[in-house]
């Protein structure tokens, strides 16, 4: 497989885009695409101050790297969750976030939940009896709360997270399975600022997870490979696997699922009954059955075309 731009050997092949690129062109393509998404969804401008939530993982560190390359003013925020899981998870992810910041001369705010509130995430989960032994719900709640508080306290215009397409499609899938309309109406690349809430953006929401892995590896970003030790067996991982199976047989299915949702929501079609077409039906001149297509109905037209071809 050859790079579409230079004919050298391709490093990344994206079946869903019918696109293959060499390392050099891939590392150009990702920031270009990101810039397109930032503009398309009006996420922020170069005059605004951005706070990037960095977890030490490939997505958020790549996001920081991309924003820096594109010339945006982006500082980082690392939240110390106090999760060990036998692998020193929080410790290692903090180390890698700090390393990235130092190497690129970027400003990183570090806020430790235990220092701030007296208890780490696993301790809070334990003592609040929320989440049936798993701290993920407590952790999500604390992260959202702290990110918003800090972004506002420190005067940032916008908070950016590293959610990728796989993350977003999995959330969308979950919300669709239960028709959680309130969540569906709020999910998207941008959540505008509201009373007391900072604007939230997800500039990587149209990149597949494997595209972000490729970006991080090819740019030599050192990130934590391990997932959070509590994520194992979670619903979101199950949804991601399910969507990946779908993607294997239908490349692009994940992206279409997400983009068509955004379109439907934007045009106001979501949850609004569409009965306009009902009134526009007329009788097909050939068979007399109701149809909305001009002149012949779709069936009669198909039969007519088929006969022309065989004549
Ligand atoms: P997750 O919820 O772990 O899938 O992470 C989603 C996004 O939340 C990441 O891409 C980061 O932008 C942000 N995030 C997750 N964990 C942290 C953390 N400990 N500190 C700061 N940001 C985080
Ligand atoms: Fe929060 Fe896993 S429980 S990152
Ligand atoms: Zn190339
Ligand atoms: Zn007809």
């Amino acid at each position: 497989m050859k790079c579409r731009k230079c004919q050298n050997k391709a490093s990344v092949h994206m079946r869903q885009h019918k696109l293959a690129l060499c390392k050099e062109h891939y590392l150009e393509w990702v920031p270009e695409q990101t810039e397109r998404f930032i503009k398309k969804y009006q996420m922020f401008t170069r005059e605004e101050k951005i706070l990037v939530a960095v977890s030490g993982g490939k997505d958020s560190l790549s996001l920081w790297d991309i924003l820096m390359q594109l010339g945006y003013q982006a500082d980082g925020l690392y939240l110390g969750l106090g999760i060990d899981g036998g692998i020193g998870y929080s410790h290692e992810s903090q180390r890698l976030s700090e390393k990235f910041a130092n190497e690129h001369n970027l400003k990183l705010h570090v806020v430790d939940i235990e220092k701030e509130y007296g208890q780490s995430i696993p301790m809070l989960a334990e003592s609040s009896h929320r989440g049936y032994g798993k701290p993920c719900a407590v952790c999500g709640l604390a992260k959202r709360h702290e990110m918003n508080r800090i972004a506002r306290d420190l005067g940032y215009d916008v908070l950016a997270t590293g959610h990728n397409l796989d993350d977003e499609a999995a959330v969308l899938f979950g919300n669709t399975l239960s028709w959680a309309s309130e969540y569906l109406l709020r999910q998207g690349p941008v959540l505008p600022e509201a009373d007391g809430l900072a604007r939230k953006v997800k500039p990587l929401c149209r990149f597949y997870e494997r595209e972000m892995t490729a970006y991080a590896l090819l740019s030599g970003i050192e990130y934590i490979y391990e997932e959070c030790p509590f994520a194992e067996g979670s619903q979101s991982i199950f949804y991601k696997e399910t969507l990946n199976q779908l993607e294997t047989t239908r490349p692009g299915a994940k992206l279409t699922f997400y983009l068509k949702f955004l379109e439907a929501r934007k045009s106001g079609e979501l949850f609004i009954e569409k009965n306009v077409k009902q009134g526009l039906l007329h009788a097909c001149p050939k068979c007399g059955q109701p149809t909305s297509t001009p002149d012949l109905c779709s069936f009669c037209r198909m039969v007519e075309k088929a006969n022309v071809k065989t004549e």
Side-chain angles (χ1 to χ4, degrees), residues 196-256:
L197 291 174
R199 185 188 334 152
K200 290 192 192 124
V201 298
K202 300 166 185 166
L204 305 181
C205 68
R206 290 178 59 158
F207 288 109
Y208 279 71
E209 167 138 30
R210 66 177 284 273
E211 292 171 352
M212 292 324 300
T213 307
Y215 182 84
L217 289 174
L218 293 176
S219 14
I221 295 172
E222 226 190 300
Y223 64 89
I224 183 156
Y225 293 119
E226 282 85 12
E227 290 261 356
C228 163
F230 294 111
E232 207 188 320
S234 70
Q235 204 160 49
S236 83
I237 289 195
F238 175 68
Y239 291 155
K240 282 183 183 176
E241 285 167 1
T242 307
L243 290 168
N244 281 340
Q245 282 180 19
L246 187 66
E247 182 78 21
T248 310
T249 41
R250 289 181 48 202
K254 227 184 298 189
L255 186 60
T256 306

Side-chain angles (χ1 to χ4, degrees), residues 143-159 186 191-200:
K143 281 195 284 202
R144 282 191 300 277
H145 183 273
E146 289 301 281
M147 285 178 193
N148 190 64
R149 176 182 71 81
I150 296 158
R152 296 186 67 238
D153 281 359
L154 301 180
Y156 286 93
D157 297 295
V158 52
L159 176 75
R186 280 162 49 90
L191 203 57
E193 53 247 285
D195 283 340
L197 291 174
R199 185 188 334 152
K200 290 192 192 124

Side-chain angles (χ1 to χ4, degrees), residues 29-48 50 52 62-74 158-161 163 189-191 199-207 262:
W29 180 79
V30 172
E32 275 166 22
Q33 291 294 102
T34 312
E35 176 76 354
R36 256 191 60 212
F37 305 150
I38 291 170
K39 294 252 162 66
K40 180 176 168 67
Y41 299 110
Q42 301 178 325
M43 292 186 178
F44 42 73
T45 64
R46 285 192 170 67
E47 284 67 52
E48 290 182 300
I50 304 157
V52 186
S62 295
L63 173 60
W64 207 6
D65 182 88
I66 294 165
L67 293 181
M68 172 190 75
Q69 282 190 48
L70 291 171
Y72 286 100
Q73 310 177 46
V158 52
L159 176 75
T161 53
H163 293 93
V190 180
L191 203 57
R199 185 188 334 152
K200 290 192 192 124
V201 298
K202 300 166 185 166
L204 305 181
C205 68
R206 290 178 59 158
F207 288 109
L262 293 182

Side-chain angles (χ1 to χ4, degrees), residues 53-55 59-60 77-79 81 143 147 160-163 167:
V54 290
S55 65
D59 303 298
S60 49
L77 166 65
Y78 176 83
L79 293 172
L81 308 171
K143 281 195 284 202
M147 285 178 193
T161 53
H163 293 93
D167 297 324

Side-chain angles (χ1 to χ4, degrees), residues 81 83 89 121 134-137 139-140 143 228-231:
L81 308 171
I83 295 174
Y89 177 75
I121 294 294
K134 277 218 168 202
C136 304
C139 178
K143 281 195 284 202
C228 163
F230 294 111

